[in-house]
Amino acid sequence: GGFFAEELEVVELIYTEATFHLHVPEKKVLKCVKATMKVIAWALTEGKDFDFVFKNFGILVCRGRRVVMRFFEDLLRDVDKMGILANAFLQV
């Protein structure tokens, strides 16, 4: 399967931000993001279990066809200084 329009918008946002902050060519970042999404899509289609760790960010936990993103508490607190977002996620 291909990408949906919403997914393409997210991918564009991710690689644009990454190229800006990492000073890496857009094509290289986009290629890595697309390759990662293909592997994740394949694993989900096959019902494979896996944990995809994003350093200092969180863990994408996949069990069968169920997907949950678990963000690290430090990241949530950094993103939202008032703690509303962190507290909401940590309660779940």
Side-chain angles (χ1 to χ4, degrees):
F3 293 103
F4 295 105
E6 303 85 43
E7 291 171 340
L8 286 175
E9 289 175 19
V10 171
V11 170
E12 286 181 24
L13 175 65
I14 291 170
Y15 87 81
T16 301
E17 286 291 317
T19 58
F20 177 75
H21 293 292
L22 300 174
H23 308 289
V24 177
E26 287 183 15
K27 286 183 180 180
K28 185 173 188 176
V29 175
L30 183 58
K31 185 176 179 180
C32 290
V33 170
K34 284 186 174 182
T36 302
M37 289 183 69
K38 281 185 180 183
V39 171
I40 290 172
W42 169 82
L44 290 171
T45 301
E46 296 294 317
K48 303 285 186 188
D49 293 347
F50 66 93
D51 296 343
F52 195 91
V53 180
F54 296 88
K55 184 178 178 182
N56 300 323
F57 191 80
I59 303 171
L60 183 66
V61 179
C62 299
R63 299 292 178 264
R65 288 180 170 79
R66 185 166 186 266
V67 181
V68 177
M69 183 67 202
R70 297 201 171 141
F71 297 100
F72 294 138
E73 184 175 348
D74 290 346
L75 171 75
L76 292 175
R77 298 207 184 278
D78 283 347
V79 169
D80 177 22
K81 299 296 184 191
M82 300 203 46
I84 297 168
L85 182 65
N87 290 333
F89 274 105
L90 294 172
Q91 288 177 9
V92 173

Coordinates of all heavy atoms in Angstrom, one line a residue:
G1 N 0.8 -1.2 0.0 CA 0.0 0.0 0.0 C 0.9 1.2 0.0 O 2.0 1.2 0.4
G2 N 0.3 2.3 -0.5 CA 1.0 3.6 -0.5 C 0.6 4.4 0.7 O 0.0 4.0 1.7
F3 N 1.1 5.7 0.7 CA 0.8 6.6 1.8 C -0.5 7.3 1.6 O -0.9 7.6 0.4 CB 1.9 7.6 1.8 CG 3.3 7.1 2.2 CD1 4.2 6.9 1.3 CD2 3.5 6.7 3.5 CE1 5.5 6.4 1.6 CE2 4.8 6.2 3.9 CZ 5.7 6.0 2.9
F4 N -1.2 7.6 2.6 CA -2.4 8.5 2.6 C -1.9 9.9 2.6 O -0.8 10.2 3.0 CB -3.3 8.2 3.8 CG -3.9 6.8 3.8 CD1 -3.4 5.9 4.7 CD2 -4.9 6.5 2.9 CE1 -3.9 4.6 4.7 CE2 -5.4 5.2 2.9 CZ -4.9 4.2 3.8
A5 N -2.8 10.8 2.1 CA -2.4 12.3 2.1 C -2.0 12.8 3.5 O -1.0 13.5 3.6 CB -3.6 13.1 1.6
E6 N -2.7 12.3 4.5 CA -2.3 12.8 5.9 C -0.9 12.4 6.2 O -0.2 13.1 6.9 CB -3.3 12.3 6.9 CG -4.8 12.6 6.7 CD -5.5 11.6 5.7 OE1 -5.3 10.4 5.9 OE2 -6.2 12.1 4.8
E7 N -0.6 11.1 5.9 CA 0.7 10.6 6.2 C 1.8 11.4 5.5 O 2.9 11.7 6.0 CB 0.8 9.1 5.8 CG 0.0 8.2 6.7 CD -0.1 6.8 6.2 OE1 0.2 6.6 5.0 OE2 -0.5 5.9 7.0
L8 N 1.6 11.8 4.2 CA 2.6 12.5 3.5 C 2.8 13.9 4.1 O 3.9 14.4 4.2 CB 2.1 12.7 2.0 CG 2.2 11.5 1.2 CD1 1.7 11.7 -0.2 CD2 3.7 11.0 1.0
E9 N 1.7 14.5 4.6 CA 1.9 15.8 5.3 C 2.8 15.6 6.5 O 3.6 16.5 6.8 CB 0.5 16.4 5.7 CG -0.3 16.8 4.5 CD -1.7 17.3 4.8 OE1 -1.9 17.6 6.0 OE2 -2.5 17.4 3.9
V10 N 2.6 14.6 7.3 CA 3.4 14.3 8.5 C 4.8 14.1 8.1 O 5.7 14.6 8.7 CB 2.8 13.1 9.3 CG1 3.7 12.7 10.4 CG2 1.4 13.5 9.8
V11 N 5.0 13.2 7.1 CA 6.4 13.0 6.6 C 7.1 14.2 6.2 O 8.2 14.5 6.6 CB 6.4 11.9 5.5 CG1 7.8 11.8 4.9 CG2 5.9 10.6 6.0
E12 N 6.4 15.1 5.5 CA 7.0 16.4 5.0 C 7.4 17.2 6.2 O 8.5 17.8 6.3 CB 6.1 17.1 4.1 CG 6.0 16.5 2.7 CD 5.0 17.3 1.8 OE1 4.8 18.5 2.1 OE2 4.5 16.7 0.9
L13 N 6.6 17.3 7.2 CA 6.8 18.1 8.4 C 8.1 17.5 9.1 O 9.0 18.2 9.5 CB 5.6 18.1 9.4 CG 5.8 18.7 10.7 CD1 6.1 20.2 10.5 CD2 4.6 18.5 11.6
I14 N 8.1 16.2 9.3 CA 9.2 15.5 10.0 C 10.5 15.8 9.3 O 11.5 16.2 9.9 CB 9.0 14.0 10.1 CG1 7.8 13.7 11.1 CG2 10.2 13.3 10.6 CD1 7.3 12.3 11.1
Y15 N 10.6 15.6 8.0 CA 11.9 15.7 7.3 C 12.3 17.2 7.2 O 13.5 17.5 7.2 CB 12.0 14.9 6.0 CG 11.5 15.6 4.8 CD1 12.3 16.5 4.1 CD2 10.2 15.3 4.2 CE1 11.8 17.0 2.9 CE2 9.8 15.9 3.1 CZ 10.6 16.7 2.4 OH 10.1 17.3 1.2
T16 N 11.3 18.1 7.0 CA 11.7 19.5 6.9 C 12.3 20.0 8.3 O 13.3 20.6 8.3 CB 10.4 20.3 6.6 OG1 9.9 19.8 5.4 CG2 10.8 21.8 6.5
E17 N 11.7 19.6 9.4 CA 12.2 20.0 10.7 C 13.6 19.3 10.9 O 14.5 20.0 11.4 CB 11.2 19.5 11.8 CG 10.0 20.4 11.9 CD 10.3 21.8 12.4 OE1 11.0 21.9 13.4 OE2 9.7 22.7 11.8
A18 N 13.7 18.1 10.6 CA 14.9 17.3 10.8 C 16.1 18.0 10.0 O 17.2 18.1 10.5 CB 14.8 15.9 10.4
T19 N 15.8 18.3 8.7 CA 16.9 18.9 7.9 C 17.3 20.2 8.4 O 18.5 20.5 8.4 CB 16.4 19.0 6.4 OG1 15.3 19.8 6.4 CG2 16.2 17.7 5.8
F20 N 16.4 21.0 9.0 CA 16.7 22.3 9.5 C 17.6 22.1 10.8 O 18.6 22.8 10.9 CB 15.4 23.0 9.9 CG 15.6 24.4 10.5 CD1 16.1 25.4 9.8 CD2 15.5 24.5 11.9 CE1 16.3 26.7 10.4 CE2 15.7 25.8 12.5 CZ 16.1 26.8 11.7
H21 N 17.2 21.2 11.7 CA 17.9 21.1 12.9 C 19.2 20.3 12.8 O 20.2 20.5 13.5 CB 17.0 20.5 14.0 CG 15.9 21.4 14.4 ND1 16.1 22.6 15.1 CD2 14.6 21.3 14.2 CE1 14.9 23.2 15.3 NE2 14.0 22.4 14.7
L22 N 19.2 19.3 11.9 CA 20.4 18.4 11.8 C 21.4 18.8 10.7 O 22.5 18.3 10.6 CB 19.9 17.0 11.5 CG 19.0 16.4 12.6 CD1 18.5 15.0 12.1 CD2 19.8 16.2 13.9
H23 N 21.0 19.8 9.9 CA 21.8 20.2 8.8 C 22.2 19.0 7.9 O 23.4 18.8 7.5 CB 23.1 20.9 9.3 CG 22.8 22.0 10.2 ND1 22.2 23.2 9.8 CD2 22.9 22.1 11.6 CE1 22.0 24.0 10.9 NE2 22.5 23.4 11.9
V24 N 21.2 18.2 7.6 CA 21.3 17.0 6.7 C 20.5 17.3 5.4 O 19.4 17.9 5.5 CB 20.8 15.8 7.4 CG1 20.9 14.5 6.5 CG2 21.6 15.5 8.7
P25 N 21.0 16.8 4.3 CA 20.2 17.0 3.0 C 18.8 16.4 3.2 O 18.6 15.4 3.7 CB 21.0 16.3 2.0 CG 22.4 16.2 2.5 CD 22.2 16.1 4.0
E26 N 17.8 17.2 2.6 CA 16.4 16.8 2.7 C 16.2 15.4 2.1 O 15.4 14.5 2.7 CB 15.5 17.7 2.0 CG 15.3 19.0 2.7 CD 14.3 20.0 2.0 OE1 13.6 19.5 1.1 OE2 14.3 21.2 2.3
K27 N 16.8 15.1 1.0 CA 16.6 13.8 0.3 C 17.1 12.6 1.3 O 16.4 11.6 1.3 CB 17.4 13.7 -1.0 CG 16.8 14.5 -2.1 CD 17.6 14.4 -3.4 CE 16.9 15.2 -4.5 NZ 17.6 15.0 -5.8
K28 N 18.1 12.8 2.0 CA 18.6 11.8 2.9 C 17.7 11.5 4.0 O 17.3 10.4 4.3 CB 20.0 12.2 3.4 CG 20.7 11.1 4.3 CD 22.1 11.5 4.6 CE 22.8 10.3 5.3 NZ 24.2 10.6 5.6
V29 N 17.2 12.6 4.6 CA 16.2 12.5 5.7 C 14.9 11.8 5.2 O 14.4 10.9 5.9 CB 15.9 13.8 6.4 CG1 14.8 13.7 7.5 CG2 17.2 14.4 7.0
L30 N 14.4 12.3 4.1 CA 13.2 11.8 3.5 C 13.3 10.3 3.2 O 12.4 9.5 3.5 CB 12.7 12.5 2.3 CG 11.4 12.1 1.7 CD1 10.3 12.2 2.7 CD2 11.1 12.9 0.5
K31 N 14.5 9.9 2.7 CA 14.7 8.5 2.3 C 14.7 7.6 3.6 O 14.1 6.5 3.6 CB 16.1 8.4 1.6 CG 16.4 7.0 1.1 CD 17.7 7.0 0.4 CE 18.0 5.6 -0.1 NZ 19.3 5.5 -0.8
C32 N 15.3 8.1 4.7 CA 15.3 7.4 6.0 C 13.9 7.2 6.6 O 13.5 6.2 7.0 CB 16.3 8.0 7.0 SG 18.0 7.9 6.5
V33 N 13.2 8.3 6.5 CA 11.8 8.3 7.1 C 10.9 7.4 6.3 O 10.2 6.6 6.9 CB 11.2 9.8 7.1 CG1 9.7 9.7 7.4 CG2 12.0 10.7 8.1
K34 N 11.0 7.4 5.0 CA 10.2 6.6 4.1 C 10.5 5.1 4.4 O 9.7 4.2 4.4 CB 10.3 6.9 2.7 CG 9.5 8.2 2.3 CD 9.5 8.4 0.8 CE 8.6 9.6 0.5 NZ 8.6 9.8 -1.0
A35 N 11.8 4.8 4.5 CA 12.3 3.4 4.7 C 11.8 2.9 6.0 O 11.3 1.8 6.1 CB 13.8 3.3 4.6
T36 N 11.8 3.8 7.0 CA 11.4 3.4 8.4 C 9.9 3.1 8.3 O 9.4 2.1 8.9 CB 11.7 4.5 9.4 OG1 13.1 4.7 9.4 CG2 11.2 4.1 10.8
M37 N 9.1 4.0 7.7 CA 7.7 3.8 7.6 C 7.3 2.5 6.8 O 6.3 1.8 7.2 CB 7.0 5.0 6.9 CG 7.1 6.3 7.8 SD 6.2 7.7 7.1 CE 4.5 7.2 7.2
K38 N 8.1 2.2 5.8 CA 7.8 0.9 5.0 C 8.0 -0.3 5.9 O 7.2 -1.2 5.9 CB 8.7 0.8 3.8 CG 8.3 1.7 2.7 CD 9.1 1.4 1.4 CE 8.6 2.3 0.3 NZ 9.4 2.1 -0.9
V39 N 9.1 -0.3 6.7 CA 9.3 -1.4 7.6 C 8.2 -1.5 8.7 O 7.7 -2.6 9.0 CB 10.7 -1.3 8.3 CG1 10.9 -2.3 9.4 CG2 11.8 -1.4 7.3
I40 N 7.8 -0.4 9.3 CA 6.8 -0.4 10.2 C 5.5 -0.9 9.6 O 4.7 -1.7 10.2 CB 6.6 1.0 10.9 CG1 7.8 1.3 11.8 CG2 5.3 1.1 11.7 CD1 7.9 2.7 12.3
A41 N 5.1 -0.4 8.4 CA 3.9 -0.8 7.7 C 3.9 -2.3 7.4 O 3.0 -3.0 7.6 CB 3.7 0.0 6.4
W42 N 5.1 -2.8 7.0 CA 5.2 -4.2 6.8 C 5.0 -5.0 8.0 O 4.2 -6.0 8.0 CB 6.6 -4.6 6.2 CG 6.9 -6.0 6.2 CD1 6.5 -6.9 5.2 CD2 7.6 -6.8 7.2 NE1 6.9 -8.2 5.6 CE2 7.6 -8.1 6.7 CE3 8.2 -6.5 8.4 CZ2 8.2 -9.2 7.5 CZ3 8.8 -7.5 9.1 CH2 8.8 -8.8 8.7
A43 N 5.6 -4.6 9.1 CA 5.5 -5.3 10.4 C 4.1 -5.3 10.9 O 3.5 -6.4 11.3 CB 6.4 -4.7 11.4
L44 N 3.4 -4.2 10.7 CA 2.0 -4.1 11.1 C 1.1 -5.0 10.3 O 0.2 -5.7 10.8 CB 1.5 -2.7 11.1 CG 2.1 -1.8 12.2 CD1 1.7 -0.3 11.9 CD2 1.6 -2.2 13.5
T45 N 1.3 -5.0 9.0 CA 0.6 -5.8 8.0 C 0.7 -7.3 8.4 O -0.2 -8.1 8.3 CB 1.0 -5.6 6.6 OG1 0.8 -4.2 6.3 CG2 0.2 -6.4 5.6
E46 N 1.9 -7.7 8.7 CA 2.2 -9.1 9.1 C 1.9 -9.4 10.5 O 2.0 -10.6 10.9 CB 3.7 -9.4 8.8 CG 4.2 -9.2 7.4 CD 3.6 -10.3 6.5 OE1 3.5 -11.5 6.9 OE2 3.1 -9.9 5.4
G47 N 1.4 -8.4 11.3 CA 1.1 -8.7 12.7 C 2.3 -9.0 13.6 O 2.2 -9.7 14.6
K48 N 3.4 -8.5 13.2 CA 4.7 -8.7 13.9 C 4.7 -7.8 15.2 O 4.2 -6.7 15.2 CB 5.9 -8.3 13.1 CG 6.0 -9.1 11.8 CD 6.5 -10.5 12.0 CE 6.7 -11.2 10.7 NZ 6.9 -12.6 10.8
D49 N 5.2 -8.3 16.3 CA 5.4 -7.6 17.5 C 6.8 -6.9 17.5 O 7.8 -7.5 17.1 CB 5.3 -8.5 18.7 CG 4.0 -9.1 19.0 OD1 3.0 -8.6 18.3 OD2 3.9 -10.0 19.8
F50 N 6.8 -5.6 17.8 CA 8.1 -4.9 17.9 C 8.0 -3.7 18.7 O 6.9 -3.1 18.9 CB 8.7 -4.6 16.5 CG 7.8 -3.6 15.7 CD1 8.2 -2.2 15.8 CD2 6.8 -4.0 14.9 CE1 7.4 -1.3 15.1 CE2 6.0 -3.0 14.2 CZ 6.4 -1.7 14.3
D51 N 9.1 -3.2 19.2 CA 9.2 -2.0 19.9 C 10.2 -1.1 19.1 O 11.4 -1.6 18.9 CB 9.7 -2.2 21.4 CG 8.8 -2.9 22.2 OD1 7.6 -3.1 21.9 OD2 9.2 -3.4 23.3
F52 N 9.8 0.1 18.7 CA 10.7 0.9 18.0 C 11.1 2.1 18.9 O 10.2 2.9 19.3 CB 10.0 1.5 16.7 CG 10.8 2.1 15.7 CD1 11.4 1.3 14.7 CD2 11.1 3.4 15.8 CE1 12.2 1.9 13.7 CE2 12.0 4.0 14.8 CZ 12.5 3.3 13.8
V53 N 12.3 2.1 19.3 CA 12.8 3.1 20.3 C 13.3 4.4 19.6 O 14.2 4.3 18.8 CB 13.9 2.5 21.2 CG1 14.4 3.5 22.3 CG2 13.4 1.2 21.9
F54 N 12.7 5.5 20.0 CA 13.2 6.8 19.6 C 14.0 7.4 20.7 O 13.4 7.8 21.8 CB 12.1 7.7 19.2 CG 11.2 7.3 18.0 CD1 10.2 6.4 18.2 CD2 11.5 7.7 16.8 CE1 9.4 6.0 17.2 CE2 10.8 7.2 15.7 CZ 9.7 6.4 15.9
K55 N 15.3 7.5 20.6 CA 16.2 8.0 21.7 C 15.7 9.3 22.2 O 15.4 10.2 21.5 CB 17.6 8.1 21.2 CG 18.6 8.5 22.3 CD 20.0 8.6 21.7 CE 21.0 9.0 22.8 NZ 22.3 9.2 22.3
N56 N 15.6 9.4 23.5 CA 15.1 10.6 24.3 C 13.7 11.0 23.9 O 13.4 12.2 24.2 CB 16.1 11.7 24.1 CG 17.5 11.4 24.5 OD1 17.7 10.7 25.5 ND2 18.5 11.8 23.8
F57 N 12.9 10.2 23.3 CA 11.6 10.6 22.8 C 10.5 9.7 23.3 O 9.6 10.1 23.9 CB 11.7 10.6 21.2 CG 10.5 11.2 20.6 CD1 10.4 12.6 20.5 CD2 9.5 10.4 20.1 CE1 9.3 13.2 19.9 CE2 8.4 11.0 19.5 CZ 8.3 12.4 19.4
G58 N 10.7 8.4 23.0 CA 9.7 7.4 23.4 C 9.8 6.1 22.7 O 10.8 5.9 22.0
I59 N 8.8 5.2 22.9 CA 8.8 3.9 22.3 C 7.5 3.7 21.6 O 6.4 3.8 22.2 CB 9.1 2.8 23.4 CG1 10.3 3.1 24.1 CG2 9.1 1.4 22.7 CD1 10.5 2.2 25.3
L60 N 7.6 3.3 20.3 CA 6.4 2.9 19.5 C 6.3 1.4 19.8 O 7.1 0.6 19.4 CB 6.7 3.1 18.1 CG 5.5 2.8 17.1 CD1 4.3 3.7 17.4 CD2 5.9 3.0 15.7
V61 N 5.2 1.0 20.5 CA 5.0 -0.4 20.9 C 3.9 -1.0 20.0 O 2.8 -0.5 19.9 CB 4.6 -0.5 22.4 CG1 4.3 -1.9 22.8 CG2 5.6 0.1 23.3
C62 N 4.3 -2.1 19.3 CA 3.3 -2.7 18.4 C 3.2 -4.2 18.8 O 4.1 -5.0 18.8 CB 3.9 -2.7 16.9 SG 4.0 -1.0 16.4
R63 N 1.9 -4.6 19.0 CA 1.6 -5.9 19.4 C 0.5 -6.4 18.5 O -0.6 -5.8 18.6 CB 1.1 -6.0 20.9 CG 2.2 -5.6 21.9 CD 3.4 -6.6 21.9 NE 4.4 -6.2 22.8 CZ 5.5 -5.6 22.4 NH1 5.7 -5.2 21.2 NH2 6.4 -5.2 23.3
G64 N 0.7 -7.3 17.6 CA -0.2 -7.7 16.6 C -0.5 -6.5 15.7 O 0.5 -6.0 15.1
R65 N -1.7 -6.0 15.6 CA -2.0 -4.9 14.8 C -2.3 -3.7 15.7 O -2.9 -2.7 15.2 CB -3.1 -5.2 13.8 CG -2.6 -6.1 12.7 CD -3.7 -6.4 11.7 NE -3.1 -7.1 10.6 CZ -2.8 -8.4 10.5 NH1 -2.9 -9.1 11.6 NH2 -2.3 -8.9 9.4
R66 N -2.0 -3.7 17.0 CA -2.3 -2.6 17.9 C -1.0 -1.8 18.1 O 0.1 -2.4 18.3 CB -2.7 -3.2 19.3 CG -3.1 -2.1 20.2 CD -3.9 -2.8 21.4 NE -4.4 -1.7 22.2 CZ -3.8 -1.2 23.3 NH1 -2.6 -1.8 23.7 NH2 -4.3 -0.3 24.0
V67 N -1.1 -0.5 18.0 CA 0.0 0.4 18.0 C -0.2 1.4 19.1 O -1.2 2.0 19.2 CB 0.2 1.1 16.7 CG1 1.5 2.0 16.8 CG2 0.4 0.1 15.6
V68 N 0.8 1.6 20.0 CA 0.7 2.6 21.1 C 2.1 3.3 21.1 O 3.1 2.7 21.0 CB 0.5 1.9 22.4 CG1 0.5 3.0 23.5 CG2 -0.8 1.1 22.4
M69 N 2.0 4.6 21.2 CA 3.3 5.4 21.3 C 3.4 5.8 22.8 O 2.4 6.4 23.4 CB 3.2 6.7 20.5 CG 4.4 7.5 20.5 SD 5.8 6.7 19.8 CE 7.2 7.6 20.5
R70 N 4.5 5.4 23.4 CA 4.7 5.7 24.8 C 5.9 6.8 24.9 O 7.0 6.5 24.5 CB 5.1 4.5 25.6 CG 4.0 3.5 25.6 CD 4.1 2.5 26.7 NE 2.9 1.7 26.7 CZ 2.8 0.4 27.0 NH1 3.9 -0.2 27.2 NH2 1.7 -0.2 27.0
F71 N 5.5 8.0 25.3 CA 6.5 9.1 25.3 C 7.2 9.0 26.6 O 6.6 8.7 27.7 CB 5.8 10.4 25.1 CG 5.1 10.6 23.8 CD1 3.8 10.4 23.6 CD2 5.9 10.9 22.7 CE1 3.2 10.5 22.4 CE2 5.3 11.1 21.4 CZ 3.9 10.9 21.3
F72 N 8.5 9.4 26.6 CA 9.2 9.5 27.9 C 8.8 10.7 28.7 O 8.5 11.8 28.1 CB 10.7 9.6 27.6 CG 11.3 8.3 26.9 CD1 12.2 8.4 25.9 CD2 10.9 7.1 27.4 CE1 12.7 7.3 25.3 CE2 11.5 5.9 26.8 CZ 12.4 6.0 25.8
E73 N 8.7 10.5 30.0 CA 8.2 11.6 30.9 C 9.0 12.9 30.7 O 8.4 14.0 30.7 CB 8.2 11.1 32.3 CG 7.7 12.1 33.3 CD 7.6 11.6 34.7 OE1 7.8 10.4 34.9 OE2 7.3 12.4 35.6
D74 N 10.3 12.8 30.6 CA 11.2 14.0 30.5 C 10.8 14.8 29.2 O 10.7 16.0 29.3 CB 12.6 13.6 30.4 CG 13.2 13.1 31.8 OD1 12.5 13.3 32.8 OD2 14.3 12.5 31.8
L75 N 10.5 14.1 28.1 CA 10.1 14.8 26.9 C 8.8 15.5 27.1 O 8.7 16.7 26.7 CB 10.0 13.8 25.7 CG 9.4 14.4 24.5 CD1 10.4 15.3 23.8 CD2 8.9 13.3 23.6
L76 N 7.8 14.8 27.7 CA 6.5 15.5 27.9 C 6.6 16.7 28.7 O 6.0 17.7 28.5 CB 5.6 14.5 28.5 CG 5.1 13.3 27.6 CD1 4.3 12.3 28.4 CD2 4.4 13.8 26.4
R77 N 7.5 16.6 29.8 CA 7.7 17.8 30.7 C 8.4 18.9 30.0 O 8.1 20.1 30.2 CB 8.3 17.4 31.9 CG 7.5 16.3 32.7 CD 7.8 16.4 34.2 NE 7.0 15.3 34.9 CZ 5.7 15.4 35.2 NH1 5.0 16.5 35.0 NH2 5.1 14.4 35.9
D78 N 9.3 18.6 29.1 CA 10.0 19.6 28.3 C 9.1 20.3 27.3 O 9.2 21.5 27.1 CB 11.2 19.0 27.5 CG 12.4 18.7 28.4 OD1 12.4 19.2 29.6 OD2 13.3 18.0 28.0
V79 N 8.2 19.5 26.7 CA 7.3 20.1 25.6 C 6.3 21.0 26.3 O 5.9 22.0 25.7 CB 6.6 18.9 24.9 CG1 5.5 19.4 24.0 CG2 7.6 18.2 24.0
D80 N 5.8 20.6 27.4 CA 4.7 21.3 28.1 C 5.2 21.7 29.5 O 5.1 20.9 30.4 CB 3.5 20.4 28.2 CG 2.3 21.1 28.9 OD1 2.3 22.3 29.0 OD2 1.5 20.3 29.4
K81 N 5.7 22.9 29.6 CA 6.3 23.4 30.9 C 5.2 23.4 32.0 O 5.5 23.3 33.2 CB 6.9 24.8 30.7 CG 8.0 24.8 29.8 CD 9.2 23.9 30.2 CE 10.3 24.1 29.3 NZ 11.4 23.1 29.5
M82 N 3.9 23.6 31.7 CA 2.9 23.6 32.7 C 2.5 22.2 33.2 O 1.9 22.1 34.3 CB 1.6 24.3 32.2 CG 2.0 25.8 31.7 SD 0.6 26.9 31.7 CE -0.3 26.6 33.2
G83 N 2.9 21.2 32.5 CA 2.7 19.8 33.0 C 1.3 19.2 32.6 O 1.1 18.1 33.0
I84 N 0.5 20.0 31.9 CA -0.9 19.5 31.6 C -0.8 18.3 30.7 O -1.4 17.2 30.9 CB -1.7 20.6 31.0 CG1 -1.9 21.7 32.0 CG2 -3.0 20.1 30.5 CD1 -2.5 23.0 31.4
L85 N 0.0 18.4 29.6 CA 0.2 17.3 28.7 C 0.8 16.1 29.4 O 0.3 15.0 29.2 CB 1.1 17.7 27.5 CG 1.3 16.8 26.4 CD1 0.0 16.4 25.7 CD2 2.3 17.3 25.4
A86 N 1.9 16.3 30.1 CA 2.6 15.2 30.8 C 1.7 14.5 31.7 O 1.6 13.3 31.7 CB 3.8 15.7 31.5
N87 N 0.9 15.2 32.5 CA 0.0 14.6 33.5 C -1.1 13.8 32.8 O -1.4 12.7 33.3 CB -0.6 15.6 34.4 CG 0.5 16.2 35.4 OD1 1.5 15.6 35.7 ND2 0.3 17.4 35.8
A88 N -1.6 14.3 31.7 CA -2.6 13.6 31.0 C -2.1 12.3 30.4 O -2.8 11.2 30.6 CB -3.2 14.5 29.8
F89 N -0.9 12.3 29.8 CA -0.3 11.1 29.3 C 0.1 10.1 30.4 O -0.1 8.9 30.2 CB 0.9 11.4 28.4 CG 0.5 11.7 27.0 CD1 0.6 13.1 26.6 CD2 0.2 10.7 26.1 CE1 0.3 13.4 25.2 CE2 -0.1 11.0 24.8 CZ -0.1 12.4 24.4
L90 N 0.6 10.6 31.5 CA 1.1 9.7 32.5 C 0.0 9.0 33.3 O 0.1 8.0 33.8 CB 2.0 10.5 33.5 CG 3.3 11.0 32.8 CD1 4.1 11.9 33.8 CD2 4.2 9.8 32.4
Q91 N -1.2 9.6 33.3 CA -2.4 9.0 33.9 C -2.9 7.8 33.1 O -3.5 7.0 33.7 CB -3.5 10.1 34.1 CG -3.2 11.1 35.2 CD -4.2 12.1 35.4 OE1 -5.3 12.0 34.8 NE2 -3.9 13.1 36.2
V92 N -2.7 7.9 31.8 CA -3.2 6.8 31.0 C -2.4 5.6 31.1 O -1.7 5.0 31.2 CB -3.3 7.2 29.5 CG1 -3.7 6.1 28.6 CG2 -4.2 8.4 29.3

